[in-house]
Amino acid sequence: MDDSRIVELYWRRSGDAIAETSRKYGGYCYAIVYNLLSSARDAEECVNDTWLGAWNSMPDNRPQYLAPFLGKIARSLAFNRFRAGRAEKRGGGELPLVLEELGDCVPAAPSAAQAVEDGELEAEIGRFLHTLPPRDCGIFLRRYWYGESLAEIAKRYCLKLNTVKTSLYRTREKLRRHLEQEGYAL
């Protein structure tokens, strides 16, 4: 079923909306959350909460592209789960590493929290990503959006592990400089 029909099911408040969403995007959302938390139980709970989040937000939103809409909800839930401390007890997944790597090129709280709430930082990072070559952008997104391990990224792009590390380092440095030029205090 295409996205517009699934969104229409949400708008009609049909129970089929969740079943269709789960069928089409269950694996996608599960992969995002599992990569970040490394806990099957937490991933399943976050995915189920993603469907609830979509259900609750659909009357106000009509997303044109359902995958990124659901991915954003799933990621947010994974970060919330991590902050609650449960993920740390079960291994932590890639999230601690991802947050540590981005620490030097994304503004620190509370200004970052405010900027993210306003959507400004998110939009600025999006603009930055559009300036990157496709491979560099893909590597960056695989690591920091999907939470994939360095080894998974290297395998996906048929690269050496050190090449992936170097690409990520250089892209983070470019992002840091870009954000500084745009007035974000790092």
Side-chain angles (χ1 to χ4, degrees), residues 37-48:
L37 300 177
S38 291
S39 166
R41 181 174 176 234
D42 285 347
E44 289 172 16
E45 289 177 17
C46 284
V47 168
N48 287 331

Side-chain angles (χ1 to χ4, degrees), residues 6-7 10 13 18 21 25-26 28-34 36-37 42-63 65-83 95 122 145-146:
I6 294 173
V7 170
Y10 278 103
R13 308 312 271 170
I18 292 175
T21 304
Y25 292 109
Y28 167 77
C29 290
Y30 182 88
I32 290 171
V33 175
Y34 185 81
L36 294 171
L37 300 177
D42 285 347
E44 289 172 16
E45 289 177 17
C46 284
V47 168
N48 287 331
D49 290 346
T50 299
W51 309 152
L52 176 63
W55 182 268
N56 290 335
S57 67
M58 282 293 179
D60 297 329
N61 297 301
R62 193 179 225 39
Y65 302 104
L66 205 48
F69 177 80
L70 295 169
K72 187 172 183 177
I73 294 171
R75 265 184 107 246
S76 176
L77 291 167
F79 275 82
N80 290 343
R81 176 75 46 125
F82 176 78
R83 282 187 201 108
L95 189 53
E122 183 179 342
W145 175 261
Y146 295 107

